Amino acid sequence: MGDKPLVGILMGSESDLPVMEKCSDVLKEMGVAHEVRISSAHRTPEQTARYAAGARGRGIEVLIAGAGMAAHLAGAIAAHTTLPVIGVPIKSGELGGLDALYSTVQMPPGIPVATVAINGAKNAAYLACAILSIKYPDVRDRLDRFREKTRAGLEGKFEVLDWGG
Ligand code: RP5
């Protein structure tokens, strides 16, 4: 697959890093080259727009955007590219992430954002891998192996709580 980033991970603030680094961890496990940037829909709107508009031309194939509160980052990115955009609503502020979930998921028709759960950074990465697996057989193989490991691990626990009665 090479070292050229295929996935761009963005977050609105450095305070989102503890959640969003899990995204990067999964992509590393899956051998998917990616880049990580901090850019805000509200505080640095022009920079965010430039990044999104230039992503496809630089070889990025999937974008992941995490933001909290009035989270417009994923939507703002989707406004400037037709690449697949995955939104991660981040739990921050007084509303526990519901604010970010609604802001991220309620996109107008024609500008989609695939929204994962609140703080669902890992699933954002797995979804990005699923999209890439259409084109990259090695990503598909790693995803298959991961699923198999998850299945085998849980099956092994089938009787752990069999306390009888
Ligand atoms: C959002 O506001 C960021 O994505 C972050 O989740 C939240 C708070 O940002 P900071 O005040 O911590 O920089 O734009």
Side-chain angles (χ1 to χ4, degrees):
M1 288 186 65
D3 294 335
K4 233 175 71 165
L6 294 178
V7 177
I9 301 174
L10 264 85
M11 64 202 85
S13 166
E14 212 168 347
S15 66
D16 300 321
L17 201 49
V19 172
M20 293 305 289
E21 68 188 358
K22 292 177 191 141
C23 217
S24 177
D25 292 344
V26 169
L27 292 178
K28 279 179 199 154
E29 274 168 35
M30 292 289 156
V32 173
H34 56 284
E35 61 185 23
V36 182
R37 297 277 184 277
I38 295 171
S39 194
S40 164
H42 302 127
R43 291 165 171 160
T44 56
E46 292 88 2
Q47 178 183 262
T48 298
R50 263 197 314 275
Y51 177 83
R56 189 190 289 274
R58 293 188 304 103
I60 298 289
E61 300 189 10
V62 184
L63 288 161
I64 299 174
M69 302 174 81
H72 294 122
L73 185 58
I77 287 169
H80 291 282
T81 181
T82 49
L83 287 173
V85 177
I86 303 170
V88 185
I90 307 269
K91 182 177 175 179
S92 76
E94 300 303 318
L95 299 181
L98 269 185
D99 43 0
L101 173 63
Y102 289 154
S103 302
T104 305
V105 80
Q106 290 288 11
M107 289 297 293
I111 317 289
V113 167
T115 305
V116 295
I118 296 170
N119 284 1
K122 284 187 178 180
N123 263 1
Y126 287 120
L127 182 53
C129 289
I131 294 167
L132 293 172
S133 75
I134 297 167
K135 181 171 165 190
Y136 300 97
D138 48 343
V139 178
R140 190 185 62 213
D141 290 347
R142 286 191 201 107
L143 262 184
D144 286 345
R145 282 202 296 275
F146 168 73
R147 283 286 177 98
E148 174 54 24
K149 211 173 99 188
T150 308
R151 186 197 60 75
L154 197 54
E155 268 183 8
K157 292 181 183 142
F158 185 63
E159 291 177 347
V160 167
L161 295 183
D162 184 11
W163 293 334

